[in-house]
Amino acid sequence: MRQFRGVSEKEIRQFFHIPPSDFSSNMERKKLGMAMGAALYLPGSMPNFTYKLSNNNLKNLTSAIICLEDAVSDSELLDAELNVVSELKSMEQKVQNGSLDTHEIPLLFIRVRTVQHLDKIASLLGSTIRFITGIVLPKCTSSNATNFFLCLQNLNSLHSIHLYALPILETKEIIYTETREQELSNLYTVFKQFEELILTIRVGATDFTSLFSLRRPGNRTIYELLLITNCLTDILNKFNRKEDNFVVSGPVYEYFESQDSFRLFNDPNSIESILWSEVQQDLLNGFYGKTCIHPSQVNIVNSGYIVPKELFEDACLIVENESRTNGVLRSSARNKMNEVKPHYSWAKKIIAQAEIYGVLKEHVTSLDFLQYIKNL
């Protein structure tokens, strides 16, 4: 698996100083959480979804979440469960007979409803569960989180695998100010206990807005909803500290344009321009990756995480000199100061990001690359 794997090596060399590196579900946990990038949500009721995920239409997709919760109505749930199991068993058979290469399959995650639902899906899948990288835990609270994690631990032991947990913070206990601080503290205690199980912490901005009867319009980023921004800030403050090893993923942007549309460069109010702006704000604030609801969002999100050459050089300068000095270093671009002590943790994160998403050539921007691949 590799970011932008659908772009030819020749074209990668055209834009990248250092190309993205290969990765797999066996990668170190925090890096793997960063590598998830744009995670495409698919309803579990979607027919032939494994074909869609493994053919050339979604070549740049590296992670997909198969949803059996909000994306599936209660009346359709049983059929959706059977569809998911059938699709994954069919994929397993294709891998076994050599007609499908596992490197062509993005990291797969299943979003369940409850602990009991997780047990049921795991029982239906049997050994096929080994094709799943993790389980998305919706409406995760300090009251249900421990049971979810214990269930995962049991499944991992039973099948000799390592399923990850992807808890979603999206309930009233977190968004309401009178309970937020205590609930986040309680969750932090639980999450630290099961830290090695948690791949990414996700946030449910749509559920948050629904609790106030709000819905952000397509021409506004989530950061313009102050009720939501204040909560996202508190979540990042609790779970994105350098002494911890959590990855927090950005909220969904619930608008999209058709696959062949690309108005990013000539219409600042277009859906794609707003998404691009939100991705920049995600990254600026410390989110890694983003939930996506349409394939057209994938390249926009992942391109935002490619590292500019100047940032990479600054990060390398800091890390390489950490053992020799903890003072100030002049950047190679001669336009900023790099202070080893305060910038060291940032530099390590940038180098990890560069390994996953690559480093652009000098005078090449992520928008240059995005414009190119959107026109392929």
Side-chain angles (χ1 to χ4, degrees):
M1 187 64 59
R2 176 175 58 81
Q3 294 292 350
F4 314 114
R5 60 198 172 103
V7 182
S8 73
E9 292 300 320
K10 178 181 178 181
E11 291 161 328
I12 289 290
R13 289 195 299 271
Q14 179 181 339
F15 290 93
F16 283 81
H17 170 63
I18 300 174
S21 298
D22 292 338
F23 66 91
S24 72
S25 59
N26 296 320
M27 178 183 250
E28 184 269 323
R29 179 180 60 87
K30 187 169 184 179
K31 282 186 180 180
L32 183 63
M34 295 170 66
M36 275 191 68
L40 182 64
Y41 257 53
L42 300 170
S45 55
M46 177 182 286
N48 300 317
F49 67 76
T50 54
Y51 172 77
K52 295 179 175 68
L53 291 175
S54 58
N55 73 1
N56 287 333
N57 290 332
L58 298 173
K59 289 184 293 186
N60 288 336
L61 181 68
T62 56
S63 61
I65 297 172
I66 305 158
C67 183
L68 288 169
E69 201 230 1
D70 284 347
V72 176
S73 67
D74 295 343
S75 61
E76 295 177 328
L77 180 58
L78 181 58
D79 288 340
E81 291 170 349
L82 296 175
N83 180 62
V84 169
V85 173
S86 174
E87 284 290 300
L88 293 177
K89 285 186 177 294
S90 173
M91 181 189 71
E92 179 182 37
Q93 188 175 27
K94 290 176 182 176
V95 169
Q96 289 173 344
N97 65 28
S99 62
L100 178 62
D101 189 333
T102 54
H103 296 297
E104 298 175 16
I105 308 169
L107 302 175
L108 298 178
F109 304 85
I110 297 179
R111 176 170 168 165
V112 296
R113 297 189 173 202
T114 63
V115 175
Q116 294 74 22
H117 194 213
L118 171 55
D119 265 331
K120 178 183 179 181
I121 296 302
S123 177
L124 290 172
L125 283 172
S127 63
T128 308
I129 201 170
R130 66 192 175 92
F131 284 91
I132 301 300
T133 300
I135 303 295
V136 179
L137 314 178
K139 299 172 179 57
C140 191
T141 67
S142 57
S143 298
N144 62 24
T146 298
N147 287 336
F148 267 127
F149 294 139
L150 290 175
C151 183
L152 270 180
Q153 282 186 334
N154 181 59
L155 291 173
N156 286 339
S157 175
L158 180 64
H159 295 281
S160 300
I161 55 176
H162 188 84
L163 284 174
Y164 283 109
L166 291 76
I168 309 182
L169 309 186
E170 54 184 348
T171 63
K172 63 182 181 181
E173 293 90 344
I174 295 168
I175 192 68
Y176 292 169
T177 56
E178 64 269 25
T179 54
R180 182 185 305 161
E181 182 177 355
Q182 186 62 57
E183 176 64 6
L184 289 178
S185 293
N186 291 343
L187 278 167
Y188 179 82
T189 299
V190 177
F191 286 6
K192 285 298 289 183
Q193 182 182 353
F194 297 96
E195 186 171 349
E196 291 305 311
L197 272 181
I198 299 174
L199 185 59
T200 64
I201 298 170
R202 312 188 78 79
V203 292
T206 302
D207 282 61
F208 284 154
T209 55
S210 74
L211 290 166
F212 298 96
S213 301
L214 295 174
R215 183 178 187 178
R216 51 94 167 253
N219 64 346
R220 294 287 188 271
T221 72
I222 196 65
Y223 296 96
E224 295 178 72
L225 273 70
L226 298 182
L227 281 168
I228 309 304
T229 302
N230 289 337
C231 184
L232 296 181
T233 300
D234 287 344
I235 290 171
L236 286 169
N237 190 301
K238 181 63 70 176
F239 295 106
N240 210 34
R241 300 177 185 184
K242 71 175 184 178
E243 60 265 28
D244 297 316
N245 282 298
F246 295 119
V247 175
V248 188
S249 180
V252 66
Y253 174 68
E254 55 195 42
Y255 299 87
F256 58 88
E257 297 192 21
S258 60
Q259 190 88 37
D260 58 358
S261 169
F262 192 52
R263 298 190 288 127
L264 185 59
F265 296 94
N266 54 27
D267 183 357
N269 295 311
S270 70
I271 294 298
E272 293 183 322
S273 294
I274 300 301
L275 173 58
W276 178 253
S277 176
E278 186 164 300
V279 170
Q280 307 312 303
Q281 292 179 79
D282 286 346
L283 185 57
L284 180 66
N285 285 284
F287 287 114
Y288 266 96
K290 197 172 187 68
T291 298
C292 293
I293 57 167
H294 192 270
S296 64
Q297 297 180 336
V298 170
N299 286 334
I300 296 174
V301 172
N302 286 338
S303 294
Y305 289 87
I306 309 172
V307 177
K309 187 170 184 284
E310 184 178 320
L311 256 65
F312 179 71
E313 290 176 342
D314 286 335
C316 289
L317 180 70
I318 291 166
V319 170
E320 289 167 1
N321 284 277
E322 187 267 342
S323 62
R324 285 178 283 181
T325 179
N326 57 11
V328 66
L329 302 166
R330 186 172 63 179
S331 71
S332 59
R334 302 193 174 199
N335 58 4
K336 70 180 78 64
M337 66 176 185
N338 291 315
E339 293 186 278
V340 174
K341 282 191 286 187
H343 290 147
Y344 183 68
S345 61
W346 165 85
K348 289 197 299 180
K349 185 174 68 173
I350 290 296
I351 290 172
Q353 182 180 329
E355 179 183 340
I356 297 161
Y357 294 94
V359 178
L360 292 165
K361 287 184 175 180
E362 197 167 4
H363 306 306
V364 174
T365 70
S366 52
L367 275 177
D368 294 332
F369 178 69
L370 177 57
Q371 182 180 36
Y372 181 83
I373 62 175
K374 288 286 279 186
N375 290 326
L376 285 176

